[in-house]
Amino acid sequence: MIYQNLEFSIADLYLLWRGLQWTLLVWSVSMALGIGLGFVLSLIRHARIPVLAQMVVVFVETFRNSPLLVQLFLVFYGLPMVTPFAPGPAEAAIFTLSINTAAFTVVNLVAALDAIPRGQWQAASSFGLSYRQTMLYVVLPQAIRTAIPPTMNLAISQLQTTSLVSIIGVTDLTRSGLVLYTRTLKPFIIWPIIGLVYFILAKVLSLLAARVERRLQAKNTWFEAAA
Amino acid sequence: MIEIDNVDKHYGNLQVLSAVSMQFQDGEVTAILGPSGAGKSTLIRCINCLELISQGDIRVDGMSVLDKHRTAEIQKRTSMVFQHFNLYPHLTALGNITLAPTKVLRQSRAQAEAKAMELLKMVGLENKAKRYPAELSGGEQQRVGICRALAMNPRHLLLDEVTSAIDPEMTAEVLRVIEDLAGQGTTMILVTHEIEFARRVADRVAFMERGSLVAHQDADTFFNRQSDERIARFIDKMKH
Ligand SMILES: Nc1ncnc2c1ncn2[C@@H]1O[C@H](COP(=O)(O)OP(=O)(O)O)[C@@H](O)[C@H]1O
Ligand SMILES: [Mg+2]
């Protein structure tokens, strides 16, 4: 008979801790890259730069309308077959989540940019501000404030989504749970704990987001009047 | 001097201006009157290069709006005050006034702010400099809008129905500011529905209808010796 350790030990906590670190790493790096990329793509889309803007639209539609898991498989298994790049699990995970997050960021920010009243552009341009200056000093400060709440919500929901990266072998929180489960065969202990950790993370993030949102609102009583 | 020379403007199939020709002399206050939809706003937006004309030419101090290289200079010389204020909601009154002077005219912040405070004082809002537009009444917002336009030291001030989005009890404070400016010899083109106000401040009056300039006369002739039946009726109706 093969020896199997069915009991939990202190070392298992360390396993969970490592998993949590990977989850947070994959999540924070891909949020930063994704939101940054999404910002640049939004500017291209909003400026209606020929060809590039259409490419952004295709990009966005593709990545927001297909399952993240499929995107993960495509990058992890597909990329090495057609390109010289063979990403490891973590690289593939961060790459895919960044791209996916960028697509949703474009949706949020372009909506916010489009919502800036024409009068704002007219006023700025009538005083001789260039497109770049109008964007920088008039439009973006307003649009970014509008886009912050949905972008924070996106980031919070992407935290849950990171659990999918366990499938391609990233040793994240979910993967650690899987390891412990296969060893101890105690699903009703392992999965509630894993779930609780995700819950706590999400809760902390939402509380932070709510705070940011309250501060934005307090500072910007002007916002409603702008409409 | 602003010269409008046989200007047409179309939006798709809709002709908004047809063969408009007129001149605005320096130091003159011209009121543009006419029913809603006549093309008054479009005309002054064309002067400010916010809209492209379809036919003809507009020259501001000799520079044609058709010359793309002159757009910036024309916009420096002509400042707009908008019906709906169009203040930047994320900037204070002071920030609204100093943005273009610092970014377009490249004035130092100190210089721009000193000028802005001077202007705010002139319109009686020096204590509201740090307020955001949403914290100001309509009348106050529009006075900030006027300061924002004047901060550019424009040669020509274009005002588009600047009191029509303001509560009636607050229009007087805005009109007083404009009247002071008129007294100081600022060149102004003002689109307005305030007929009594136009009578007080305007040197000349232009009357537009359905995209055409129907009359362009000195104010006395326009108001007191109006020979055109339709215009006379319009003036009469606007009084009430
Ligand atoms: N951007 C636009 N696109 C299409 N039509 C417009 C636009 N701006 C104004 N118009 C039309 O042009 C006509 C004249 O408008 P406007 O110049 O605003 O008149 P006024 O200021 O005399 O009331 C109106 O019929 C209006 O609907
Ligand atoms: Mg109008």
Side-chain angles (χ1 to χ4, degrees):
Chain A
M1 192 185 135
I2 299 165
Y3 171 77
Q4 185 160 14
N5 181 4
L6 293 167
E7 297 311 314
F8 292 107
S9 73
I10 278 293
D12 297 340
L13 273 180
Y14 181 70
L15 190 72
L16 284 179
W17 170 238
R18 292 294 299 170
L20 176 62
Q21 284 179 322
W22 272 108
T23 292
L24 289 176
L25 179 80
V26 168
W27 176 76
S28 54
V29 173
S30 47
M31 285 312 106
L33 292 178
I35 291 167
L37 176 65
F39 181 81
V40 174
L41 295 182
S42 299
L43 295 184
I44 292 173
R45 166 77 184 83
H46 186 261
R48 302 210 153 72
I49 299 172
V51 188
L52 287 181
Q54 282 82 350
M55 283 166 67
V56 171
V57 172
V58 172
F59 166 85
V60 169
E61 290 306 310
T62 307
F63 283 92
R64 65 192 279 238
N65 292 312
S66 62
L68 185 79
L69 193 54
V70 172
Q71 295 165 21
L72 269 175
F73 285 160
L74 199 64
V75 169
F76 187 59
Y77 299 114
L79 223 48
M81 302 180 77
V82 292
T83 70
F85 303 108
E91 288 137 28
I94 288 173
F95 181 80
T96 313
L97 265 169
S98 302
I99 299 279
N100 184 269
T101 304
F104 285 100
T105 302
V106 172
V107 175
N108 293 337
L109 191 54
V110 166
L113 285 168
D114 288 347
I116 302 298
R118 254 166 53 98
Q120 292 290 303
W121 284 97
Q122 276 185 4
S125 125
S126 84
F127 295 115
L129 272 83
S130 65
Y131 179 87
R132 198 186 64 85
Q133 288 173 322
T134 305
M135 256 306 181
L136 208 54
Y137 304 118
V138 176
V139 174
L140 276 174
Q142 299 181 57
I144 287 174
R145 274 172 217 200
T146 317
I148 282 175
T151 304
M152 288 189 305
N153 290 337
L154 168 68
I156 293 167
S157 79
Q158 290 290 58
L159 180 72
Q160 252 83 294
T161 312
T162 58
S163 66
L164 290 175
V165 306
S166 63
I167 297 176
I168 58 166
V170 179
T171 52
D172 73 332
L173 191 56
T174 302
R175 186 101 202 155
S176 318
L178 212 56
V179 170
L180 291 182
Y181 161 68
T182 32
R183 202 194 71 216
T184 62
L185 302 174
K186 292 192 172 78
F188 287 109
I189 295 177
I190 291 301
W191 295 121
I193 290 174
I194 301 290
L196 187 68
V197 177
Y198 278 112
F199 175 84
I200 291 169
L201 287 179
K203 203 70 203 161
V204 168
L205 287 173
S206 328
L207 288 174
L208 277 174
R211 256 183 83 141
V212 173
E213 216 163 316
R214 264 201 310 278
R215 285 199 49 180
L216 281 177
Q217 265 165 11
K219 258 198 191 160
N220 304 307
T221 37
W222 49 261
F223 216 80
E224 295 86 73
Chain B
M1 185 168 74
I2 298 175
E3 301 153 276
I4 316 271
D5 189 3
N6 214 12
V7 164
D8 283 2
K9 169 71 186 170
H10 305 265
Y11 287 113
N13 286 329
L14 181 71
Q15 179 148 15
V16 179
L17 295 176
S18 25
V20 175
S21 292
M22 64 199 297
Q23 294 187 352
F24 303 96
Q25 303 298 332
D26 289 351
E28 238 176 39
V29 177
T30 306
I32 303 184
L33 307 179
S36 176
K40 307 179 296 294
S41 300
T42 304
L43 179 68
I44 64 171
R45 292 223 302 258
C46 288
I47 296 172
N48 191 237
C49 301
L50 282 177
E51 302 279 356
L52 295 172
I53 55 178
S54 314
Q55 252 337 297
D57 195 5
I58 296 177
R59 282 178 304 277
V60 176
D61 301 329
M63 294 175 292
S64 167
V65 296
L66 301 173
D67 183 354
K68 285 271 170 293
H69 300 103
R70 296 297 194 170
T71 303
E73 184 59 30
I74 291 175
Q75 288 181 329
K76 264 187 220 169
R77 285 167 185 248
T78 58
S79 276
M80 286 271 275
V81 181
F82 298 88
Q83 181 174 359
H84 298 285
F85 329 137
N86 297 358
L87 295 180
Y88 315 123
H90 60 299
L91 298 177
T92 60
L94 198 61
N96 267 275
I97 299 169
T98 56
L99 182 66
T102 52
K103 304 304 174 195
V104 179
L105 303 180
R106 310 222 164 270
Q107 292 176 2
S108 71
R109 174 146 302 280
Q111 187 189 358
E113 286 188 352
K115 171 82 179 177
M117 288 310 297
E118 197 180 296
L119 289 167
L120 282 169
K121 197 161 183 179
M122 180 191 84
V123 303
L125 289 177
E126 66 270 40
N127 56 343
K128 301 283 169 81
K130 298 284 183 202
R131 297 293 178 82
Y132 288 91
E135 300 169 326
L136 302 173
S137 73
E140 290 169 336
Q141 287 189 56
Q142 193 57 294
R143 281 184 279 163
V144 172
I146 293 171
C147 292
R148 179 174 67 167
L150 290 174
M152 296 297 284
N153 293 316
R155 304 208 178 182
H156 315 276
L157 196 57
L158 313 174
L159 304 105
D160 190 1
E161 292 194 37
V162 295
T163 55
S164 59
I166 299 176
D167 292 336
E169 60 271 27
M170 289 170 196
T171 57
E173 63 195 33
V174 175
L175 295 181
R176 185 190 59 76
V177 169
I178 299 170
E179 207 165 343
D180 287 351
L181 290 171
Q184 294 160 22
T186 313
T187 306
M188 285 196 274
I189 301 174
L190 61 107
V191 175
T192 185
H193 282 304
E194 308 262 352
I195 211 100
E196 284 310 318
F197 176 65
R199 194 196 285 271
R200 277 207 309 278
V201 302
D203 301 311
R204 292 175 67 76
V205 179
F207 187 84
M208 291 182 67
E209 201 171 30
R210 276 184 252 108
S212 298
L213 180 66
V214 179
H216 189 194
Q217 304 165 323
D218 67 78
D220 183 48
T221 310
F222 185 89
F223 289 113
N224 303 324
R225 289 190 293 279
Q226 187 50 256
S227 52
D228 187 309
E229 184 84 9
R230 269 187 10 267
I231 298 177
R233 266 208 309 277
F234 178 86
I235 297 171
D236 212 45
K237 218 167 62 198
M238 293 303 287
K239 279 183 189 160
H240 312 298

